[in-house]
């Protein structure tokens, strides 16, 4: 795990070592032919993707350099070769660079001990051909807390693979996290998957693994099996006492009182997942994370009404202490409201929990949250259910997988796709900011230090709001309410990279001295060349800057230099 506290030294040494270890990918790349001809050069070994940490910021390293995942997640049952032709067009349609897609335990080990990797082989091969990275979602012991993705020989044998028991000793739907048998069986399958990936994916199309999916339990806060009762009434491990800053030692109920059930369940599940992740990483050291079905980010909530024991915000300390091989817990965002999304970003954007959105609803109103997510240095953003599998998860997500739904995501990814590597580097090394249009479309002011940026919505490209109000201009048709947002990165003391969608950005001095006035020194529109150098295409001036920097639906990247007079 590369996480807060692991420090830059170890993180950087690791990726540098990987990058420097030149080798022949004989085993994989060159063995395709039996002999080496004179033109065959030793190939630099492709570094294993990793997550590194420096000065409080994180980067996902892919091919040895920071990478921002512009992702889509396929629908749950799109994990079969026959479905892939309905998945790749969605990846291309939205300009995604990464596909998140399940690999189910039931499909790779339908019979105990006999593995079938034909789907994984097809997926990796097609991902390489589509120049798309993969995040594999290990749907196994828990998927949305349930056991549905376990193979028949597991789900139909509750004696060997026990379900959780309630207070009355009755079986409930979820697998017990206190069963070594289930853990060992899941781990064996996961290790087999990682071993296979190591063999077939030398160029690391697969950049991350999600271990299980939305864990926790609905309606029951912890397991009451005899084994669970035994551990619950034993001493709380030291690491958990330290992580929770407990003031006493003792059993779970003694130390944690009314929170004991939930804390115990969080520890039981995270310890289980840690063993799976650690075993997998010992074979192939890919970054591994978990995703969370969320509780209310602010209000008190009865743990029976959310996925208790999963990586919800109030138990993240326990999760990090018990699962050091899991680098982050990603919040699955399925509430459309601005305040709710911002509160969840606050909960999950922590020094020990780099922000990454691996699931967000695909209804067009969600796509604007791309801006604050990236502004907070997130490693990636991926709307859920983005394929042509003839399925919609409305009312959670979009009503139809129509052009508007795909375009909402494409219009945001299009801004960053051409500068993804530069953005990822800036995000790792510099200050960045991002805002999304709030539900009431009110403007927002960003504190950039010496400067401030005011972002406003629903404006025409020309004219002050007052002038346009007098002219009864209304809101332009292209500027659909709650679609806007802006992204800013610091390039120098008075210089910023700016891109936005359906938004106006105005810069000003934050605290001008008496008589000090600000101005746009120069606004360059341009693009990044293949070698990363900035190429100026034109200078914005006149109407293009007189009323702020105005962005409608077309992509523009600006370098903005500010000065005073
Ligand atoms: C969140 C889960 O993680 C997804 O797999 C999916 O079931 C969505 N909920 C609902 O479509």
């Amino acid at each position: 795990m590369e996480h807060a506290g692991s420090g830059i030294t170890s993180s950087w040494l690791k990726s540098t070592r990987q990058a420097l270890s030149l080798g022949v990918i004989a085993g994989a790349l060159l063995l395709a032919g039996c002999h080496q001809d004179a033109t065959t050069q030793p190939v630099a070994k492709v570094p294993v993707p990793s997550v590194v940490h420096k000065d409080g910021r994180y980067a996902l390293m892919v091919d040895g350099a920071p990478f921002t995942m512009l992702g889509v997640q396929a629908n749950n049952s799109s994990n079969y070769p026959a479905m892939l032709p309905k998945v790749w067009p969605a990846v291309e349609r939205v300009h995604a660079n990464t596909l998140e897609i399940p690999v189910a335990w039931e499909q790779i080990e339908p019979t105990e001990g006999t593995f079938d990797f034909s789907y994984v082989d097809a997926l990796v091969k097609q991902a390489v051909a589509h120049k798309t990275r993969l995040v594999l979602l290990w749907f196994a012991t828990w998927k949305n807390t349930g056991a549905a993705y376990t193979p028949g020989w597991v789900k139909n044998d509750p004696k060997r693979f026990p379900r959780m028991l309630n207070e009355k000793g009755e079986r409930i739907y979820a697998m017990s996290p206190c069963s070594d048998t289930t853990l060992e069986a899941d781990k064996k399958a996961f290790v087999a998957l990682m071993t296979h990936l190591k063999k077939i994916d030398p160029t690391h199309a697969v950049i991350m693994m999600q271990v299980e999916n939305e864990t926790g339990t609905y309606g029951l806060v912890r397991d009451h099996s005899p084994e669970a009762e035994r551990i619950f009434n034993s001493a709380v491990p030291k690491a958990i006492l330290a992580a929770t800053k407990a003031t006493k030692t003792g059993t779970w109920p003694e130390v944690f009182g009314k929170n004991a059930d939930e804390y115990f369940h969080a520890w039981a599940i995270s310890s289980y997942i840690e063993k799976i992740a650690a075993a997998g990483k010992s074979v192939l050291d890919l970054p591994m994370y978990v995703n969370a079905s969320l509780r209310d980010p602010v209000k008190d909530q009865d743990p029976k009404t959310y996925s208790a024991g999963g990586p919800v915000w109030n138990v993240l300390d326990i999760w990090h202490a018990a699962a050091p091989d899991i680098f982050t817990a990603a919040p699955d965002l399925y509430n459309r409201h601005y305040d709710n999304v911002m509160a969840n970003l606050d909960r999950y954007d922590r020094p020990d929990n780099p922000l990454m959105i691996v699931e967000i609803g695909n209804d067009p109103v969600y796509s604007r949250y791309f801006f604050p997510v990236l502004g907070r240095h997130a490693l990636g953003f991926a709307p859920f259910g983005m394929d042509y599998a003839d399925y919609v998860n409305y009312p959670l997500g979009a009503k139809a997988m129509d052009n508007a739904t795909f375009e909402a995501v494409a219009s945001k990814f299009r801004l960053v796709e051409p500068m993804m590597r530069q953005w990822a580097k800036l995000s790792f090394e510099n200050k960045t900011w991002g805002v999304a249009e709030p539900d009431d479309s009110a403007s927002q002011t960003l504190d950039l230090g010496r400067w401030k940026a005011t972002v406003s919505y629903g404006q025409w490209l020309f004219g002050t709001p007052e002038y346009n109000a007098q002219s009864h201009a209304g809101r332009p048709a292209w500027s659909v309410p709650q679609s806007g947002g802006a992204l800013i990165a610091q390039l120098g003391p008075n210089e910023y990279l700016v891109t936005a969608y359906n938004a106006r950005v105005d810069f000003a001095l934050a605290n001008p001295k008496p008589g000090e006035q600000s101005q746009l020194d120069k606004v360059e529109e341009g693009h990044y060349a293949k070698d990363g150098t900035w190429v100026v295409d034109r200078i914005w001036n006149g109407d293009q800057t007189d009323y702020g920097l105005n962005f409608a639906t077309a992509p523009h990247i600006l370098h903005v230099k500010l000065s005073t007079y």
Side-chain angles (χ1 to χ4, degrees):
M1 179 186 183
E2 312 290 351
H3 61 117
S6 70
I8 180 60
T9 325
S10 60
S11 311
W12 276 114
L13 273 181
K14 197 167 134 205
S15 52
T16 313
R17 236 183 277 132
Q18 284 164 349
L20 291 180
S21 70
L22 287 183
V24 183
I25 304 186
L29 288 181
L30 301 177
L31 264 193
C34 319
H35 60 272
Q36 246 181 283
D37 66 35
T39 58
T40 308
Q41 299 293 322
V43 182
K45 202 170 176 185
V46 180
V48 181
S50 61
V51 173
V52 295
H53 177 223
K54 185 176 66 163
D55 301 335
R57 295 191 195 105
Y58 288 85
L60 169 62
M61 305 293 284
V62 173
D63 294 340
F67 179 93
T68 300
M69 176 181 75
L70 306 174
V72 288
Q73 184 164 148
N75 276 297
N76 286 168
S77 310
S78 294
N79 57 320
Y80 288 85
M83 292 305 292
L84 294 178
K86 294 182 190 295
V87 173
W88 300 118
V91 172
E92 275 145 38
R93 172 68 182 86
V94 305
H95 305 265
N97 58 28
T98 304
L99 168 66
E100 300 172 354
I101 193 163
V103 174
W105 186 5
E106 67 173 355
Q107 81 183 132
I108 68 160
E109 198 183 5
T111 309
E112 189 169 4
T114 306
F115 289 95
D116 175 357
F117 289 113
S118 51
Y119 156 65
V120 175
D121 291 342
L123 177 66
V124 170
K125 196 171 164 200
Q126 292 182 32
V128 171
H130 284 88
K131 298 188 167 53
T132 301
R133 302 291 175 155
L134 294 169
V135 173
L136 301 186
L137 317 172
W138 178 235
F139 286 8
T141 303
W142 297 291
K143 177 352 178 144
N144 295 16
T145 76
Y149 279 85
T150 59
W153 54 271
V154 175
K155 69 168 84 144
N156 296 320
D157 191 350
K159 280 213 173 98
R160 199 172 151 213
F161 303 105
R163 304 295 170 113
M164 283 170 62
L165 300 185
N166 65 17
E167 294 90 337
K168 293 189 214 148
E170 296 159 339
R171 279 183 192 138
I172 69 143
Y173 72 96
M175 288 286 178
S176 166
C178 301
S179 161
D180 283 345
T181 322
T182 319
L183 167 63
E184 286 309 316
D186 183 325
K187 191 168 86 182
K188 188 173 156 210
F190 189 67
V191 166
L193 172 62
M194 298 309 290
T195 307
H196 191 72
L197 282 180
K198 189 174 182 182
K199 198 165 74 193
I200 63 146
D201 187 25
T203 55
H204 301 297
V206 180
I207 56 173
M208 274 191 281
M209 301 296 294
Q210 179 184 296
V211 188
E212 313 292 343
N213 190 86
E214 290 195 345
T215 58
T217 314
Y218 297 108
L220 183 69
V221 185
R222 72 168 174 93
D223 190 10
H224 291 268
S225 66
E227 181 59 0
E229 291 300 318
R230 186 188 66 74
I231 310 170
F232 187 64
N233 291 302
S234 310
V236 175
K238 280 205 182 97
I240 301 303
L241 294 173
T244 54
K245 300 190 176 64
T247 50
K248 50 181 167 182
T249 57
T251 65
W252 290 84
E254 282 164 359
V255 176
F256 296 119
K258 69 176 179 33
N259 292 322
D261 285 350
E262 186 180 10
Y263 285 17
F264 171 74
H265 199 34
W267 169 79
I269 298 174
S270 53
S271 309
Y272 184 110
I273 286 188
E274 166 61 18
K275 290 182 186 120
I276 295 172
K281 280 172 89 76
S282 71
V283 176
L284 176 57
D285 190 10
L286 289 177
M288 300 202 185
Y289 71 90
V290 291
N291 64 332
S293 168
L294 305 177
R295 57 162 287 177
D296 193 285
V298 184
K299 289 190 214 125
D300 261 357
Q301 206 183 329
D302 176 355
K304 280 197 173 137
T305 64
Y306 59 83
S307 53
V312 288
W313 65 263
N314 52 310
V315 293
L316 284 181
D317 291 335
I318 294 176
W319 269 81
H320 278 288
D325 280 298
I326 295 296
F327 80 88
T328 204
D332 291 351
L333 300 171
Y334 286 104
N335 182 317
R336 287 167 174 73
H337 294 293
Y338 177 87
D339 289 347
N340 181 280
V341 172
M342 294 308 126
N344 275 313
L345 296 186
D346 285 343
R347 291 294 188 194
Y348 282 84
D349 175 11
R350 304 178 9 155
D352 63 350
N353 196 74
L355 189 65
M356 186 167 75
I357 303 303
V358 299
E359 277 190 47
I360 182 166
N362 57 10
D363 190 87
V365 295
Y366 288 100
S367 64
R368 70 196 204 269
Y369 298 123
F370 176 72
F371 297 102
V373 166
L374 258 64
R376 285 169 177 253
H377 306 272
L379 306 185
F381 181 90
F384 174 84
M386 300 295 286
D387 62 26
Y388 294 96
D390 194 24
Y391 186 81
V392 287
N393 66 356
Y394 183 80
L396 208 56
K399 237 177 194 165
M401 295 311 292
D402 56 13
N403 190 45
T405 298
F406 284 103
E407 181 57 20
V409 178
S411 58
K412 316 302 177 304
F413 282 6
R414 220 180 263 134
L415 303 174
V416 173
E417 183 209 21
M419 58 166 176
M420 182 278 279
R421 289 291 189 173
Q422 288 76 28
W423 176 265
K425 190 167 184 287
L426 282 169
S427 172
F428 188 36
E429 293 171 358
N430 285 12
K431 289 186 176 158
T432 61
W433 299 264
V435 277
E437 182 172 352
D439 293 344
D440 62 1
S441 296
S443 54
Q444 299 134 318
T445 299
L446 290 168
D447 173 3
L448 312 180
R450 184 180 181 213
W451 301 94
K452 62 181 181 180
T454 302
V455 183
S456 48
Y457 305 97
Q459 309 225 28
W460 289 88
L461 305 178
F462 183 92
T464 61
E466 297 73 30
Y467 171 79
N468 289 342
Q470 278 164 24
S471 314
H472 304 289
R475 186 170 176 146
W478 70 73
S479 163
V480 179
Q482 294 91 48
S483 63
L487 204 50
I488 299 178
Q490 181 123 40
L491 297 173
N494 301 305
E495 192 174 346
Y496 297 92
L497 179 151
V498 185
T499 189
Y501 183 83
N502 280 346
R504 172 179 290 193
V505 183
D506 285 292
F507 285 94
L509 282 165
N511 295 301
K513 295 186 199 119
E516 194 184 19
Q517 313 235 32
S518 57
Q519 62 186 348
L520 293 169
D521 181 359
K522 198 189 257 187
V523 178
E524 299 171 347
E525 177 172 13
H527 64 274
Y528 287 96
K530 275 217 169 81
D531 66 0
T533 53
W534 173 244
V535 181
V536 181
D537 295 324
R538 63 168 173 161
I539 303 294
W540 275 23
N541 211 336
D543 285 351
Q544 279 64 54
T545 56
D546 286 347
Y547 305 99
L549 306 174
N550 287 285
F551 297 80
T553 56
H556 302 283
I557 306 173
L558 306 180
H559 276 196
V560 180
K561 284 187 199 137
L562 304 166
S563 62
T564 56
Y565 59 94

